[in-house]
């Protein structure tokens, strides 16, 4: 058995505080609860963003005036619905979301219909890198906000392709870049950790992108986001 970590010890407190702010700032949300219930029923892993993090995605989409959103890694569409809420009603509002797992995609599509958002969302089934390459080749218009949340080992590839689908002012958000703190362990050979670390190294040398990282704790444990804007 592995020894208890600081994260194990602190997680109940983090969850309690998440619950406190959820009650105050993100009250009961029947649509999002139905999404999570459908995901559970379909046996999807419970690795969606947390309710408070979902609100953060809605807020960021609202704040940057986004109309065109790109998401990598749909799962059951919890984060997609949160992003959709931030652009809904704006002219040209549209989300392209990429998912390689057929069961995840099928569950997400059903969830979008239940949420009444299906006309806004274009889910493309297949490896994200293939869909991204197709969009680059076909001259897809730039996206205003890009949320990277698919397989972590491919984040370096995704960064390069996503920047080809961005414009000055595009907001880039990448999930799960802290990995319980492992990102700061240069000896790690976990491909997910290596991927998110390389992602930040590549961002660092992009002088046309202003980037930061925000560590997060809560019901989903210890992780974090990279936030970046193309200058
Ligand atoms: N954004 C979701 C969670 C995504 S979990 C939310 O917060 O609600 C990561 C998803 O990426 C999983 O559904 C997984 O199937 C998908 N994925 C993994 N590898 C992928 C790839 N190469 N291309 C596209 N999607 C991929
Ligand atoms: C994993 C993926 C995620 O997108 C996430 O938020 C948490 C965990 C994973 O693949 O382990
Ligand atoms: Mg994630």
């Amino acid at each position: 058995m592995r020894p208890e970590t600081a994260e194990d010890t602190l997680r109940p407190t983090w969850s309690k505080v998440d619950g406190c702010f959820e009650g105050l700032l993100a009250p009961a949300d029947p649509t999002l609860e139905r999404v999570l219930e459908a995901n559970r029923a379909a046996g999807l892993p419970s690795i969606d963003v947390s309710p408070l993090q979902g609100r953060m995605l809605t807020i960021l989409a609202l704040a940057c005036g986004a109309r065109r959103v790109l998401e990598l890694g749909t799962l059951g569409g919890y984060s997609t619905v949160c992003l959709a809420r931030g652009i809904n009603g704006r002219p040209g509002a549209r989300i392209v979301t990429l998912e390689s797992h057929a069961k995840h995609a099928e569950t997400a599509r059903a969830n979008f219909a239940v949420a009444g958002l299906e006309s806004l969302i274009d889910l493309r089934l297949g490896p994200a890198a293939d869909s991204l390459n197709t969009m680059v080749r076909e001259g897809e218009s730039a996206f205003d906000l890009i949320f990277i949340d698919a397989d972590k080992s491919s984040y370096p590839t995704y960064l390069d392709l996503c920047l080809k689908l961005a414009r000055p002012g595009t907001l880039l958000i990448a999930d799960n870049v802290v990995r319980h703190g492992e990102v700061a362990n240069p000896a790690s050979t976990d491909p997910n950790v290596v991927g998110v670390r390389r992602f930040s190294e590549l961002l660092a040398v992009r002088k046309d992108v202003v980037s930061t990282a925000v560590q997060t704790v809560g019901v989903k444990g210890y992780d974090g986001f990279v936030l970046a804007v193309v200058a």
Side-chain angles (χ1 to χ4, degrees), residues 166-226:
R167 53 154 176 89
T170 295
L171 175 63
L172 208 70
I173 309 162
D175 194 19
N176 312 114
V177 299
V178 172
R179 313 295 306 183
H180 312 281
E182 275 300 293
V183 69
N185 170 14
S188 175
T189 54
D190 176 338
N192 298 320
V193 173
V194 172
V196 297
R197 194 184 168 86
R198 184 84 192 122
F199 174 80
S200 286
E201 288 168 358
L202 290 169
L203 263 180
V205 298
R206 288 289 301 229
K207 295 304 166 209
D208 58 335
V209 184
V210 182
S211 311
T212 191
V214 182
Q215 301 187 65
T216 57
V217 296
V219 282
K220 302 278 169 164
Y222 174 36
D223 216 319
F225 295 96
V226 156

Side-chain angles (χ1 to χ4, degrees), residues 47 149 152 175-176:
I47 54 173
D149 196 20
K152 316 309 161 196
D175 194 19
N176 312 114

Side-chain angles (χ1 to χ4, degrees), residues 47-49 73-75 78-79 99-101 104 127-128 149-151 158:
I47 54 173
D48 356 60
V49 291
T74 318
L75 191 65
Y78 185 95
S79 55
E99 175 57 56
S100 61
H101 195 304
H104 298 181
D149 196 20
D151 52 315
Y158 296 152

Side-chain angles (χ1 to χ4, degrees), residues 13-100:
T13 304
W14 297 341
S15 297
K16 196 170 84 182
V17 174
D18 251 15
C20 166
F21 281 113
E22 247 179 84
L24 290 167
L25 307 176
D29 190 322
T31 300
L32 288 176
E33 279 160 22
R34 282 181 75 171
V35 168
L36 290 182
E37 185 45 48
N39 293 356
R40 257 191 302 273
L44 269 49
S46 174
I47 54 173
D48 356 60
V49 291
S50 72
L52 289 173
Q53 292 169 352
R55 292 282 270 194
M56 184 191 80
L57 294 177
T58 304
I59 289 166
L60 290 173
L62 284 169
C64 73
R67 296 176 182 199
R68 290 174 45 77
V69 170
L70 171 64
E71 175 179 69
L72 282 56
T74 318
L75 191 65
Y78 185 95
S79 55
T80 324
V81 168
C82 294
L83 288 164
R85 286 179 172 173
I87 65 167
N88 204 2
R90 291 183 177 148
R94 184 170 127 89
I95 302 190
V96 176
T97 182
L98 312 179
E99 175 57 56
S100 61

